[in-house]
Amino acid sequence: MIVVTAVDIELAVLVLAVAAWTIAARQAFPAVVGYVAYGLLLSLVWVRLYAVDVALTEAAIGSGVTGVVLIGAATRLRGTEAEAAAEQPRAFLRLAAAALCVGMTVALAAAVLLMPDPAPTLAPEAVAHLPSTGLGNAVTAVLLAYRVVDTMFESVVLLLALVGVWSLAPDRDWGGAPKFPRPAGQDGVLTFFAQLLPPVGIVVGIHIVWIGADEPGGKFQGGTILAAMWIIAMTAGLVDAPQISRCWLRLVLVAGTAAFLVIGVAGFAWAAGFLAYPEGYAKPLILVIEAFMTLSVAATLGMLVGGPPQQELRR
Amino acid sequence: MNEFLFATAGLTLATVAMGLFRILAGPGDVDRMMAAQLLGTGGIAALLLAAAGTGVRGAEDVALALALLAAFASMAFVNSATSNSNADDPEGADGR
Amino acid sequence: MSVALNIFSIIAIAAGVFFFFAGSVGLLRFPDRLTRMHALTKADNLGLGLVVLGLLPRADSPLGALKLVAVWLLVQLAGATVTQLMARAARREESAPRSSP
């Protein structure tokens, strides 16, 4: 038992050290590398807390796709970094920021430390009603049955984020394709990698979506892996990034939200109300939503990493 | 046996965490990415060892996801570093 | 039988941890980038490989064992690709007039 505690303490100290270093780093790029390392350590923490669903999300999104977005941002901003660092904000502003941060930390610490023991939990209830959904994974039941409205709005938020990125496009490029940074000339190593990895990754991604009903996994984690495979293929130049005006692309982007809405509205007719599932049909309907959401998540994340369109519309 | 697996998980993590000093020290971005890469591999090993020691279900899938994305960040780094120095990016070009 | 398998696991995993140690020391102590990369690949290939080898007899199902081997193969592929790409990036960073920060 002592060994287990020692390793847990080691992990906690490492997470705190990397977090402190990430905040203290003076340049953007080392901070981003620290953030990627931090995400990896966090997914180890989630496994230690027996929250494998969250660990998968952190591994795929926190350390994977977010890391790539931030690396792109840091390298783009490098030219302006010296200028930005030279601008010293006024003492009052810095003190106010520090006070706000300290206040936030104290509030969070108080919320955690003052929690009643044992903490209030809905976990037994969530597990007790699991048979009525036909699912084996309580996390999936929360996301797609008990609190399905939240998940639907999350899918809307993802779409809005992409609309926000696209709105940064200059007028002349509107409707065109985003550009993935690529080294000049053909790169054999990258091509080989992008030919070998995606077939494996697509199988693993679909596997993670599929087992999500009964084991840790699900649409978000699986969809993110599929998105990563698509991004790798686009970066290596094996497939072209789609033009954002393409009809099929827009259909795939909204497919998940549309599935939510159709099944949700149909709930008025054949069940108790919006997004209620009829008796005995919960699992097949959840699988339909998950399938469409996987496609939408993969397409949206792929386009988010690509950024606003940078190539003129070709017809 | 489980204690042994857990102890080696901690040892692996401690070892690769030493490499994190390269993120601090650099000297270049390439060295920093190397340290992150080493932490990635060591993290996967520690995850597998700890999961085998405690019997968490589904930990192999987390390891698979991490292994699939192991090259993702480094690939993005190399590509954006290269294409920016070619100055074909209008925003990057007038910045310096 | 299970004692023999346990001893096998212990030896393989201990050897794997040793290679992680060697890789980290190499990353910290080796004088230039290309040799440091060389140290890195030891951890990817041998370190994780031996750990996976040691865990194989303890896998609870054939699918679990397959996943373990897949993890090792994927990390090898990633490691080989990344070191190639980064070695080139390092060479470019050194030859460029505006080198390291």
Side-chain angles (χ1 to χ4, degrees):
Chain A
M1 225 42 232
I2 297 172
V3 180
V4 177
T5 318
V7 172
D8 285 347
I9 292 174
E10 178 198 341
L11 195 53
V13 170
L14 264 180
V15 167
L16 287 178
V18 173
W21 148 246
T22 305
I23 296 170
R26 306 293 295 172
Q27 287 170 310
F29 188 80
V32 169
V33 180
Y35 177 83
V36 171
Y38 174 76
L40 185 106
L41 291 171
L42 265 196
S43 68
L44 292 186
V45 170
W46 287 120
V47 170
R48 280 301 299 139
L49 293 172
Y50 293 85
V52 179
D53 290 271
V54 191
L56 262 176
T57 314
E58 184 62 46
I61 299 187
S63 162
V65 171
T66 318
V68 169
V69 170
L70 290 178
I71 285 174
T75 37
R76 263 182 216 208
L77 288 175
R78 182 160 292 170
T80 60
E81 206 169 329
E83 216 174 303
E87 273 178 31
Q88 278 281 359
R90 261 182 258 154
F92 167 74
L93 202 62
R94 292 163 72 185
L95 279 177
L100 267 177
C101 292
V102 170
M104 193 69 192
T105 312
V106 169
L108 280 174
V112 172
L113 292 175
L114 298 179
M115 217 181 262
D117 192 28
T121 174
L122 290 172
E125 293 238 12
V127 175
H129 291 95
L130 215 47
S132 68
T133 61
L135 299 169
N137 180 357
V139 177
T140 309
V142 170
L143 289 179
L144 284 163
Y146 310 148
R147 311 280 319 204
V148 59
V149 178
D150 295 5
T151 312
M152 187 189 84
F153 280 114
E154 272 168 28
S155 76
V156 177
V157 168
L158 206 55
L159 272 181
L160 284 178
L162 185 61
V163 170
V165 168
W166 281 359
S167 70
L168 297 172
D171 278 347
R172 66 186 152 85
D173 291 340
W174 177 251
K179 201 157 90 186
F180 283 81
R182 191 179 302 167
Q186 277 297 312
D187 196 325
V189 179
L190 201 57
T191 311
F192 175 69
F193 180 67
Q195 282 170 338
L196 210 55
L197 195 69
V200 185
I202 290 170
V203 172
V204 174
I206 293 175
H207 166 75
I208 286 178
V209 176
W210 179 248
I211 59 166
D214 294 318
E215 300 273 336
K219 59 186 167 21
F220 231 104
Q221 297 91 331
T224 309
I225 290 179
L226 294 181
M229 296 305 124
W230 191 35
I231 293 164
I232 288 174
M234 287 192 284
T235 310
L238 292 184
V239 290
D240 286 328
Q243 305 205 23
I244 65 164
S245 55
R246 287 265 181 263
C247 189
W248 67 263
L249 177 71
R250 297 196 175 181
L251 281 177
V252 171
L253 289 174
V254 299
T257 313
F260 267 121
L261 284 176
V262 169
I263 291 177
V265 171
F268 285 119
W270 65 25
F274 187 65
L275 272 174
Y277 302 124
E279 198 75 36
Y281 286 94
K283 190 168 178 184
L285 287 175
I286 286 174
L287 285 181
V288 169
I289 293 181
E290 289 231 298
F292 281 107
M293 270 310 289
T294 306
L295 278 179
S296 293
V297 166
T300 314
L301 290 178
M303 295 311 283
L304 269 178
V305 171
Q310 288 178 4
Q311 299 172 36
E312 271 181 55
L313 180 63
R314 287 172 287 114
R315 287 182 196 280
Chain B
M1 191 63 195
N2 285 350
E3 296 256 299
F4 168 77
L5 291 174
F6 227 86
T8 46
L11 209 56
T12 311
L13 206 57
T15 327
V16 292
M18 281 184 346
L20 286 180
F21 278 105
R22 277 277 166 221
I23 300 191
L24 280 168
D29 292 344
V30 174
D31 303 272
R32 299 199 167 99
M33 288 310 296
M34 277 198 268
Q37 193 73 27
L38 181 69
L39 185 77
T41 314
I44 291 173
L47 172 68
L48 289 175
L49 287 166
T54 48
V56 191
R57 286 172 71 180
E60 292 101 348
D61 286 327
V62 182
L64 262 181
L66 286 173
L68 273 172
L69 301 178
F72 201 38
S74 303
M75 192 192 78
F77 153 66
V78 172
N79 285 345
S80 31
T82 334
S83 66
N84 263 21
S85 64
N86 288 346
D88 58 354
D89 179 353
E91 278 134 16
D94 55 15
R96 59 180 84 91
Chain C
M1 189 57 200
S2 87
V3 175
L5 278 183
N6 273 354
I7 292 174
F8 169 76
S9 289
I10 289 176
I11 292 175
I13 292 172
V17 174
F18 169 75
F19 277 106
F20 273 113
F21 181 70
S24 305
V25 171
L27 184 68
L28 286 179
R29 300 289 302 156
F30 280 173
D32 65 279
R33 276 181 189 158
L34 294 182
T35 49
R36 286 201 285 262
M37 255 171 225
H38 176 74
L40 197 64
T41 52
K42 296 297 152 291
D44 280 349
N45 302 345
L46 282 166
L48 188 63
L50 286 165
V51 166
V52 162
L53 192 66
L55 288 175
L56 273 184
R58 309 180 60 80
D60 43 8
S61 66
L63 182 64
L66 185 71
K67 280 182 186 169
L68 285 177
V69 175
V71 166
W72 178 51
L73 289 177
L74 286 173
V75 168
Q76 282 226 32
L77 175 65
T81 311
V82 164
T83 31
Q84 283 265 353
L85 292 175
M86 285 208 289
R88 282 184 218 169
R91 203 173 53 190
R92 245 177 262 116
E93 205 175 287
E94 264 146 29
S95 62
R98 147 194 87 77
S99 65
S100 61

